[in-house]
Amino acid sequence: MKCPSKDNPGTCGMRLDSQPRLGQGTYTAAMKAAPGEGMNTAFYLFSYGRNNDKSKAWNEIDIEILGKQIYGGKTRIWTNVWTGHGTQHYQLVTVNWDASKGYHTYVIQIDSSKIYWKFDGKTYRTFTYTGYSDLVQTINNLDFQGELALWGSHDIGWTEMGNMWNNGNSYPMYAYFKNIKLNKCTSCSPASGGGSSGGSSSKLKITNKDGINKWWYAVTVTNIPSGLSIKTVKIKAANKNSWETAKKEWDYYAITQNKPYTAPFDFKITTSKGETVTSYDVIKNLNVGSSGYMSKSVSAFTLEDDESGGLHWTVIAAIIVLIGCFICAIIAGVIYLKKRKSKLNGDGASFREDSKEQELTTHKADTPVGDDGDATTATAGYDMEPVSPEIEVEIETEA
């Protein structure tokens, strides 16, 4: 495969897809990698026929030889597993040869519970996959296809791969492949599982990233069960009294605000479901590649108060309920007052009119007649007692 120039990643390299559908089995390729920063020579399995469509759970099993990681007569090879929606379980392993100088044999082997990465006949890494239901399904349904690829990148987001512009080697660049064997197992028992398994494989794994020092500390978080993602990572160094929230970069979490940092490091991790687990002295040094596991498995996460001083969700919920009750009480009071007012201004008025009509009828029947024959004015039911003594006026008329 050829990469003609470092100026245009779009014309660099190619990818070959296999036709057979693959599951358990042994898959082999002899490779001679392209050297230098920004170059990636890869042999891997990925979800069949999806063409990088990650709208559903996505699975990969990778061997990637990064040209930037070839130096000093050795090579650090990127091994990785993708589960769920973008969760990676990667690990760099070191072999004692320059992968760009000659052919070496690289193998991905899958049995009913584990994945093995074997280079020149030696097993360098194993991964138990039975805790990831999507990966179990892909393997049992023969939903993998094999891939050979060479590609280059100008994206500086993947630190371990680097940028083609910084590659000092002469172009065009080549990667070579031969002795490709895709030996699918036709008599293997199906893989079982799907829930989080016991032991350390079900616990979140924290690993020191390349390039860390006391001024810039970064880690990766792996062993994340399918269906979960990491919401926040907080880190506390041995020389600090408070947690610092790590910034999410490409596939790692870094802290730089309260430097310098000294080991050991404590971690507080919150998942997408709002569950939080805290573990102490997880990473005991600043050595690249050092790792440790959180003290509780993901399935055993317990809710904890956020020590940063924010309100716990239960307190927030209680406040919302109280506010709702208060609003309901105000509404009920307003409705009651309106009904009360309606009764006084409506029913009460009718009552007074009925009484007035009754009194008028009564007094009309008993109305005294004056000496001049006119009816005396009735009081219509109102108490018209004088407020001062009566004054008699004598009127004298002519005879």
Side-chain angles (χ1 to χ4, degrees):
M1 296 184 184
K2 178 180 178 180
C3 181
S5 169
K6 63 181 177 182
D7 297 325
N8 186 359
T11 63
C12 181
M14 62 184 298
R15 185 176 75 184
L16 298 177
D17 305 330
S18 72
Q19 291 300 316
R21 303 180 72 95
L22 309 175
Q24 294 185 51
T26 302
Y27 309 106
T28 306
M31 298 188 289
K32 179 181 176 183
E37 187 168 341
M39 300 304 299
N40 187 322
T41 305
F43 170 48
Y44 60 101
L45 308 177
F46 84 159
S47 295
Y48 194 95
R50 293 273 292 279
N51 195 29
N52 288 326
D53 175 11
K54 297 182 175 63
S55 59
K56 296 183 292 185
W58 178 268
N59 297 128
E60 277 191 41
I61 303 173
D62 300 330
I63 297 172
E64 299 182 72
I65 303 174
L66 309 177
K68 182 181 178 181
Q69 302 300 322
I70 302 173
Y71 51 85
K74 298 182 179 182
T75 304
R76 300 173 73 223
I77 300 174
W78 181 273
T79 64
N80 196 12
V81 178
W82 290 71
T83 60
H85 293 271
T87 300
Q88 299 190 67
H89 313 267
Y90 68 82
Q91 181 179 330
L92 281 164
V93 300
T94 302
V95 295
N96 291 319
W97 60 78
D98 184 326
S100 68
K101 296 297 185 182
Y103 285 99
H104 295 270
T105 303
Y106 303 88
V107 174
I108 296 172
Q109 182 178 342
I110 307 172
D111 64 19
S112 60
S113 62
K114 291 182 174 64
I115 301 167
Y116 306 84
W117 288 262
K118 299 180 178 181
F119 309 139
D120 280 357
K122 179 181 176 181
T123 299
Y124 281 82
R125 182 188 177 188
T126 61
F127 179 85
T128 301
Y129 67 84
T130 51
Y132 305 92
S133 58
D134 56 308
L135 184 53
V136 170
Q137 184 177 357
T138 296
I139 291 171
N140 286 342
N141 293 343
L142 306 182
D143 272 344
F144 272 134
Q145 64 184 135
E147 305 289 337
L148 300 174
L150 170 66
W151 60 285
S153 176
H154 283 173
D155 182 6
I156 60 174
W158 189 359
T159 305
E160 288 81 1
M161 182 172 174
N163 193 312
M164 290 171 61
W165 285 329
N166 297 325
N167 193 323
N169 292 285
S170 299
Y171 282 78
M173 198 85 70
Y174 296 91
Y176 301 89
F177 302 85
K178 68 178 183 178
N179 300 332
I180 312 302
K181 298 177 182 179
L182 303 178
N183 295 325
K184 179 174 59 178
C185 181
T186 58
S187 60
C188 293
S189 300
S192 61
S196 295
S197 58
S200 63
S201 62
S202 65
K203 299 175 182 178
L204 296 176
K205 183 179 181 180
I206 312 298
T207 305
N208 281 347
K209 185 172 171 54
D210 290 354
I212 61 169
N213 52 54
K214 65 180 180 179
W215 307 106
W216 184 82
Y217 184 67
V219 297
T220 61
V221 180
T222 55
N223 275 12
I224 305 169
S226 177
L228 278 183
S229 59
I230 301 301
K231 183 178 180 182
T232 60
V233 173
K234 295 183 179 181
I235 304 174
K236 185 165 62 175
N239 61 330
K240 307 299 176 184
N241 295 320
S242 60
W243 295 96
E244 182 176 345
T245 300
K247 182 179 179 182
K248 177 71 165 62
E249 298 294 346
W250 183 66
D251 62 347
Y252 61 90
Y253 299 84
I255 53 174
T256 59
Q257 297 300 313
N258 299 322
K259 55 195 175 187
Y261 303 104
T262 60
F265 294 91
D266 306 333
F267 291 83
K268 177 186 287 189
I269 298 178
T270 301
T271 71
S272 55
K273 292 185 177 180
E275 299 166 317
T276 301
V277 67
T278 303
S279 296
Y280 301 93
D281 295 345
V282 178
I283 302 294
K284 296 178 171 52
N285 55 56
L286 281 167
N287 298 333
V288 172
S290 291
S291 63
Y293 291 90
M294 299 298 284
S295 60
K296 295 179 182 178
S297 65
V298 172
S299 60
F301 272 177
T302 55
L303 294 176
E304 302 176 356
D305 289 333
D306 189 344
E307 295 179 11
S308 64
L311 292 176
H312 194 276
W313 70 268
T314 54
V315 177
I316 297 174
I319 292 173
I320 292 173
V321 171
L322 289 174
I323 292 174
C325 291
F326 180 71
I327 292 173
C328 289
I330 292 175
I331 293 173
V334 170
I335 293 173
Y336 173 79
L337 291 175
K338 285 185 176 181
K339 287 184 176 181
R340 178 76 173 172
K341 183 176 180 181
S342 175
K343 184 175 181 180
L344 292 175
N345 294 337
D347 297 341
S350 299
F351 172 77
R352 287 195 297 272
E353 291 298 327
D354 291 343
S355 299
K356 182 176 180 180
E357 183 178 351
Q358 183 178 356
E359 291 295 333
L360 284 172
T361 303
T362 303
H363 284 279
K364 184 175 182 180
D366 300 333
T367 300
V369 179
D371 292 340
D372 57 1
D374 295 331
T376 305
T377 304
T379 61
Y382 291 96
D383 184 4
M384 298 297 289
E385 290 291 331
V387 294
S388 58
E390 294 183 4
I391 301 175
E392 295 184 3
V393 178
E394 195 174 303
I395 300 176
E396 192 176 314
T397 59
E398 294 183 1

